[in-house]
Amino acid sequence: MKVETEYMKQALALARAAGKQGEVPVGAVLVANDGVLLAESGNMSISTNDPTGHAEIRVLRAAGRKLGNYRLPDSTLYVTLEPCSMCAGALVHARIARIIFGAVDSRAGACGSVFDLVRSARLNHQIEVAQGMLAEESEKLLKDFFIERR
């Protein structure tokens, strides 16, 4: 089984690829607790004209199709940017066990920075969260992307 930093490096590679395609550089990797890769993706909202084309949503859809189930318990999501409220809500519904993210999203993050949807006791499922893995690389990728776009 890969070490957790290797999964995050894989997510960073997906984010870089998304950025090269003109997408906001966010990458996500979903892994079962036994180390089996369930799905991976970068953002594709712009190229698909789909506001739900975030990397997190794309991996949930792919993993659901792969497993034939919309519930993905005992899985861990590695993502380069803290999930937004749309993605956090979908992750709760999918029953993801853990989220490990790199950069904090101080504008729209829903895993502890702006909102804490994934750990809300008001919902029927809570997700364990770890932040800051390869945060500097994740932040730099995003900053460089937006500097270049301006």
Side-chain angles (χ1 to χ4, degrees), residues 108-127:
C111 296
S113 63
V114 179
F115 306 104
D116 200 355
L117 227 75
V118 299
R119 291 180 285 204
S120 173
R122 299 180 86 182
L123 298 175
N124 62 344
H125 178 73
Q126 290 79 43
I127 302 173

Side-chain angles (χ1 to χ4, degrees), residues 13-139:
L14 292 161
R16 282 186 201 94
K20 287 178 182 172
Q21 298 297 316
E23 299 284 348
V24 175
V26 176
V29 175
L30 186 64
V31 180
N33 67 349
D34 60 0
V36 171
L37 176 67
L38 298 175
E40 62 182 8
S41 184
N43 270 359
M44 290 190 67
S45 294
I46 297 167
S47 61
T48 61
N49 298 310
D50 179 3
T52 68
H54 293 192
E56 301 95 311
I57 299 296
R58 293 180 53 77
V59 297
L60 290 177
R61 288 177 177 157
R65 284 190 301 270
K66 181 176 185 174
L67 298 176
N69 194 341
Y70 71 100
R71 297 252 169 102
L72 306 164
D74 301 321
S75 59
T76 299
L77 178 74
Y78 298 86
V79 62
T80 57
L81 178 65
E82 179 182 3
C84 69
S85 57
M86 172 184 70
C87 294
L91 293 163
V92 168
H93 285 290
R95 307 297 194 268
I96 300 298
R98 294 187 323 150
I99 299 168
I100 299 174
F101 69 87
V104 168
D105 186 345
S106 60
R107 294 182 184 185
C111 296
S113 63
V114 179
F115 306 104
D116 200 355
L117 227 75
V118 299
R119 291 180 285 204
S120 173
R122 299 180 86 182
L123 298 175
N124 62 344
H125 178 73
Q126 290 79 43
I127 302 173
E128 179 186 332
V129 175
Q131 71 180 56
M133 183 179 287
L134 301 181
E136 287 181 23
E137 294 93 326
S138 298
E139 290 166 6

